Amino acid sequence: MDLSLRSWLIAISTLACFSTMAIAADMSSSAISERIKPSGNIHLEGAEPVVAATTTPSRTGQAIYDQYCASCHNSGLMAAPKKGDADDWATRVSQGDAVLAEHAIKGFNAMPAKGTCMDCSDAEIVAAINYMIHPN
């Protein structure tokens, strides 16, 4: 075997070994769970299939506001309507709930889509809007 080919093959196998070790080195709980998760389900004839719950509990409007909205809506940053300020909200509220929700969910002017809460459901966003309009 040619010496340069042999050197090349050794380098490739060494690289493959180290790259596999780097992948397996992630020992976080989420990485381990991902590696050992089931690849399928077994259903025995005559038995009812087990259905896993896929819904997550809904967060309150205040919880969403506190985590994602307060940084802009407390101070009115970039013309964001301030929480509980009827004058700031009047024009927006007059457009109707559907328009208000659409702007918050899809983004509008300086408002990013869902106020950057990408894991929020539409209902949670609406709850946060309602909290901002009527905080008590």
Side-chain angles (χ1 to χ4, degrees), residues 38-89:
S39 60
N41 297 314
I42 297 175
H43 176 70
L44 300 175
E45 186 176 344
E48 290 297 318
V50 176
V51 179
T54 57
T55 59
T56 56
S58 180
R59 296 167 284 190
T60 66
Q62 181 177 358
I64 299 298
Y65 173 82
D66 290 343
Q67 186 171 358
Y68 296 100
C69 312
S71 59
C72 294
H73 290 277
N74 272 343
S75 64
L77 182 68
M78 297 183 67
K82 292 185 279 305
K83 179 183 86 170
D85 189 326
D87 292 336
D88 279 0
W89 286 97

Side-chain angles (χ1 to χ4, degrees), residues 2 4 10 18 27-28 40-41 58-59 71 74 88 91 101-102 104 114 117 119-120 122 129:
D2 183 37
S4 62
I10 291 171
F18 283 121
M27 297 303 288
S28 67
N41 297 314
S58 180
R59 296 167 284 190
S71 59
N74 272 343
D88 279 0
T91 304
E102 180 181 352
K114 293 190 174 187
C117 181
D119 69 333
C120 286
D122 291 355
I129 294 168

